[in-house]
């Protein structure tokens, strides 16, 4: 038996499991986009509402608003990016197919 023979079932399973699974269909894309839009809008509305509320309660000037935005907006960007990554990964998971 040569070393390139793939008639061994264990080698065939290993080769099959090494191949990437591409099951990104239109339904998966639309489901992921729906989750991304819903959750990202909540993230950004919460960030902007926090800046607005802090400005009203603390009486911040424009400089204070910019500083607060510089603190909160990178967190909102990170949370949105993680939402995109996790939604796409969840839809690409073969266990989610159905």
């Amino acid at each position: 038996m040569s070393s390139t023979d793939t008639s061994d079932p264990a080698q065939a399973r290993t080769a099959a499991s090494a191949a990437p699974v591409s099951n990104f269909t239109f339904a998966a894309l639309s489901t992921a986009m729906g989750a991304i839009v819903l959750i990202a809008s909540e993230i950004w509305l919460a960030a902007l509402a926090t800046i607005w509320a802090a400005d009203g309660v603390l009486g911040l000037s424009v400089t204070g608003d910019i500083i607060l935005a510089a603190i909160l907006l990178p967190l909102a960007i990170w949370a949105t990016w993680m939402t995109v990554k996790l939604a796409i990964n969840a839809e690409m998971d073969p266990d989610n197919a159905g």
Side-chain angles (χ1 to χ4, degrees), residues 5-84:
D5 187 16
T6 58
S7 62
D8 183 24
Q11 286 179 348
R13 269 194 309 271
T14 305
S17 65
V21 177
S22 178
N23 63 347
F24 206 62
T25 62
F26 178 74
L29 177 64
S30 61
T31 303
M33 288 303 297
I36 291 166
V37 168
L38 176 68
I39 297 170
S41 65
E42 292 176 1
I43 290 168
W44 285 96
L45 285 173
L48 295 175
T50 301
I51 294 170
W52 172 76
D55 184 43
V57 170
L58 301 174
L60 300 174
S61 64
V62 174
T63 305
D65 289 339
I66 292 172
I67 292 170
L68 190 58
I71 294 169
L72 289 178
L73 295 184
L75 293 173
I77 291 169
W78 175 80
T80 303
W81 173 246
M82 290 305 295
T83 299
V84 170

